[in-house]
Amino acid sequence: RVPATLLGQPLLALTPLLALTPMAEQAGCCEGEGRAATVAVLVLSIIVFMANIYAMVIATDIHAYYWIMTYHFVGTIGVLVATSVYACRCCGEGGFPLRRLGQALAAYVVLCGVVCFVAVLAAKDGAIEDNCAESRECDLSVLFSCPKENQEFYQCVDDPDPVEQVLNDNTCGGKLYAPKWHNWGCDRDDDKYLCRAFCTKKACTDYCNPFSDHHKDQCGDRSDCYTITQFLEQFLIRTCVVVILFLLVPAAALAGVAVQAKEPERVNPSIEM
């Protein structure tokens, strides 16, 4: 029988090799600022991952911003994977060169981060135009009057009963503009929810949306309604910019240092028995 102490000695001898391969040691990735910066970017990418989902949700009805943030979401996943692989395999078998991580981050910065940042700032006018681009044929349009400015609209009614036809007329000639943003009532067959429509594109664009389709919430002395222009300028664009820059700036800084790192030589450790 071999004593247990002798069996344990080879395992103890292998421990340094398993913990730190020569390649990883040459790269210096298990110590110093390089790995600490990578872990910081990894944590930021996790935060941005969740914030990006929130930005996509609030931009659901504004298609331009929804697809911009979807594209950035894919880029964020790329950063998350690259930094995770580096942080986990840095000291593992085969190592993971810092320079390779820098190349991955540089690809995100150039192909995703900067592109999305510019697109967010440039897409406002197109998003506003697209919101009221589609017209809708209504059998009857019923005026929903409100005392506050830019809250008045027409309710689009399909298959009206005879009483509704007598009490109302098609002021807009049957063709109205129905906004896409927060106008879900057009897809619901329920009298409690309103399908808002407007005679002109300007009225559609200037409408102050209360973020509710229920008929009881349309009018009143409230300050929580937004036109689509106000919503984009005061909320959505700012949110998207913060989400993008929160990851873009540190990723660019780490990429600038990492791409200049020396590629370590691969060394196969030999174990003398």
Side-chain angles (χ1 to χ4, degrees):
R1 296 182 61 182
V2 179
T5 55
L6 294 178
L7 289 174
Q9 289 178 357
L11 295 177
L12 292 175
L14 286 173
T15 300
L17 293 173
L18 293 175
L20 181 59
T21 64
M23 178 184 174
E25 187 175 14
Q26 281 192 3
C29 65
C30 292
E31 296 179 358
E33 298 178 356
R35 197 182 189 203
T38 302
V39 173
V41 174
L42 172 60
V43 173
L44 290 176
S45 65
I46 295 173
I47 296 173
V48 170
F49 179 87
M50 296 182 290
N52 205 116
I53 295 176
Y54 171 73
M56 291 167 60
V57 170
I58 63 176
T60 301
D61 297 322
I62 306 177
H63 297 162
Y65 286 92
Y66 174 81
W67 289 114
I68 291 171
M69 296 312 294
T70 298
Y71 181 58
H72 187 262
F73 181 73
V74 175
T76 302
I77 293 176
V79 174
L80 183 60
V81 171
T83 51
S84 297
V85 170
Y86 180 80
C88 295
R89 294 191 58 195
C90 172
C91 300
E93 184 65 31
F96 189 77
L98 181 60
R99 181 167 182 159
R100 191 179 304 171
L101 173 64
Q103 292 169 346
L105 293 180
Y108 157 77
V109 171
V110 175
L111 301 178
C112 183
V114 174
V115 171
C116 290
F117 178 76
V118 174
V120 164
L121 298 179
K124 185 183 76 170
D125 293 339
I128 294 172
E129 180 69 21
D130 180 69
N131 181 55
C132 295
E134 297 181 1
S135 60
R136 181 185 180 93
E137 296 290 339
C138 298
D139 295 336
L140 185 68
S141 56
V142 180
L143 178 63
F144 201 107
S145 181
C146 292
K148 293 186 69 175
E149 185 180 3
N150 297 334
Q151 290 182 352
E152 189 172 271
F153 61 92
Y154 287 90
Q155 182 182 0
C156 191
V157 180
D158 295 324
D159 298 324
D161 58 47
V163 176
E164 288 178 325
Q165 290 180 335
V166 172
L167 296 178
N168 300 277
D169 59 0
N170 279 324
T171 306
C172 302
K175 180 180 180 181
L176 298 97
Y177 295 93
K180 301 173 185 176
W181 176 57
H182 279 281
N183 196 23
W184 304 308
C186 296
D187 300 322
R188 296 174 177 172
D189 187 17
D190 192 331
D191 292 339
K192 293 182 179 180
Y193 297 96
L194 306 176
C195 176
R196 306 185 194 92
F198 304 85
C199 292
T200 64
K201 283 187 177 182
K202 185 179 186 307
C204 177
T205 301
D206 294 342
Y207 174 67
C208 195
N209 199 310
F211 299 111
S212 172
D213 291 309
H214 199 281
H215 68 278
K216 294 181 179 180
D217 299 329
Q218 302 310 305
C219 299
D221 185 15
R222 62 176 185 274
S223 59
D224 59 348
C225 69
Y226 290 87
T227 66
I228 187 170
T229 302
Q230 292 172 335
F231 179 75
L232 289 175
E233 294 178 346
Q234 300 177 19
F235 191 70
L236 183 57
I237 292 178
R238 294 181 182 181
T239 300
C240 294
V241 167
V242 169
V243 170
I244 294 171
L245 290 181
F246 198 67
L247 182 60
L248 176 59
V249 173
L254 179 57
V257 175
V259 293
Q260 301 177 35
K262 182 180 179 181
E263 187 79 20
E265 297 180 0
R266 293 185 175 275
V267 179
N268 294 323
S270 58
I271 304 175
E272 296 182 359
M273 300 302 294

